[in-house]
Amino acid sequence: MAEIQEGGNKKSNSKQKKMTVRVDFTPMVDMNMLLITFFMLCTTLSKPQTMEISMPSNDKNITDEQRSKVKASQAITLLLAGEDKLYYYEGEPNYEDFNSLKETTYKADGLRAMLLRRNSAAVRQVNELKQQKADLKISDEEYDKKVSEIKAGDDTPTVIIKAMDDASYRNLIDALDEMQICNIGKYVIADMAEGDEFLIKNFESKGAFGAENLAE
């Protein structure tokens, strides 16, 4: 509220009186508190989005049989190199044939197209569930449960992601994003092996590097 205070020389009534205006901001404090309370109650706080990543175990007691549980026909190994280069091979590595290593890109017609092709059955089933969820035929809980079961199916591929030292974090994030877009439920980040580096060198040299150099 505003108050008007009159002031001036009382001895001379002919002179114009001076008025001082003082604004009281005390009610504004209560109004601000009401507004803050209103927004706190009506605003939905953003939920942090996390991504589950399977990391390789450091347990040295794991046997070779346990390490080879992933079927070779279902395994896809991504090799992230420098300068935004991306390579992959399916199944077990073939050091004798440099053409067994394929080069692709992080674009939609590259890595994504390859993963969608390999995971087409699961993608189709997930899309059907999305439509059922949109039609309110299944609840959110049922949708999440069925999607998890589809991604963990025996016929779905397992992607092994390996990054070289000169690969950027952006490349790794892009690769992980494609796992979500393509409904890949089984993927792991592993260390780059000597054989993987050989595959890249042999591919870039068109087989001139030679498999005998791997043994050395």
Side-chain angles (χ1 to χ4, degrees):
M1 300 178 63
E3 296 181 357
I4 300 177
Q5 298 179 352
E6 297 182 355
N9 190 355
K10 296 181 180 180
K11 294 181 180 180
S12 177
N13 294 328
S14 61
K15 294 183 178 180
Q16 186 178 4
K17 295 181 180 180
K18 296 181 179 180
M19 292 183 294
T20 303
V21 179
R22 184 174 68 87
V23 180
D24 186 6
F25 287 98
T26 303
M28 295 296 294
V29 177
D30 296 334
M31 183 179 295
N32 289 333
M33 293 301 298
L34 289 174
L35 290 174
I36 293 174
T37 304
F38 172 78
F39 286 117
M40 290 179 63
L41 294 176
C42 297
T43 303
T44 302
L45 299 178
S46 60
K47 298 180 181 180
Q49 298 181 354
T50 59
M51 179 185 303
E52 295 183 0
I53 301 177
S54 300
M55 299 299 294
S57 175
N58 292 326
D59 189 359
K60 297 182 179 180
N61 296 323
I62 297 178
T63 63
D64 293 337
E65 182 179 356
Q66 291 173 326
R67 294 181 187 274
S68 61
K69 282 185 177 180
V70 179
K71 294 182 180 179
S73 59
Q74 297 175 353
I76 303 174
T77 303
L78 302 181
L79 304 180
L80 284 56
E83 299 179 355
D84 296 332
K85 292 184 178 181
L86 176 61
Y87 306 93
Y88 74 94
Y89 61 86
E90 302 181 24
E92 297 181 354
N94 185 356
Y95 301 109
E96 300 293 336
D97 183 12
F98 72 93
N99 288 318
S100 62
L101 187 67
K102 308 296 182 182
E103 185 175 7
T104 185
T105 65
Y106 294 95
K107 297 180 180 179
D109 59 348
L111 176 60
R112 185 178 305 176
M114 184 271 293
L115 293 176
L116 289 175
R117 173 178 57 83
R118 287 295 308 271
N119 201 34
S120 58
V123 171
R124 183 178 64 256
Q125 295 177 27
V126 171
N127 290 335
E128 292 175 355
L129 288 176
K130 288 181 179 179
Q131 186 61 43
Q132 294 179 14
K133 179 182 175 183
D135 296 338
L136 302 179
K137 294 182 179 180
I138 58 175
S139 63
D140 293 344
E141 292 76 11
E142 292 175 333
Y143 171 80
D144 294 337
K145 180 180 179 180
K146 291 183 178 180
V147 168
S148 299
E149 292 175 352
I150 293 173
K151 290 183 177 181
D154 295 335
D155 297 332
T156 56
T158 299
V159 180
I160 304 172
I161 304 174
K162 300 182 179 182
M164 299 186 67
D165 294 336
D166 53 353
S168 64
Y169 285 104
R170 179 180 178 180
N171 295 150
L172 180 59
I173 297 301
D174 289 342
L176 292 175
D177 286 342
E178 295 301 328
M179 301 301 109
Q180 302 300 316
I181 295 173
C182 301
N183 296 309
I184 301 295
K186 296 178 291 185
Y187 56 93
V188 61
I189 300 176
D191 295 331
M192 182 75 70
E194 182 181 356
D196 299 321
E197 296 180 358
F198 165 80
L199 287 174
I200 296 177
K201 292 180 179 179
N202 198 33
F203 177 83
E204 292 178 345
S205 64
K206 303 300 180 182
F209 196 70
E212 64 277 1
N213 294 321
L214 179 61
E216 297 177 1

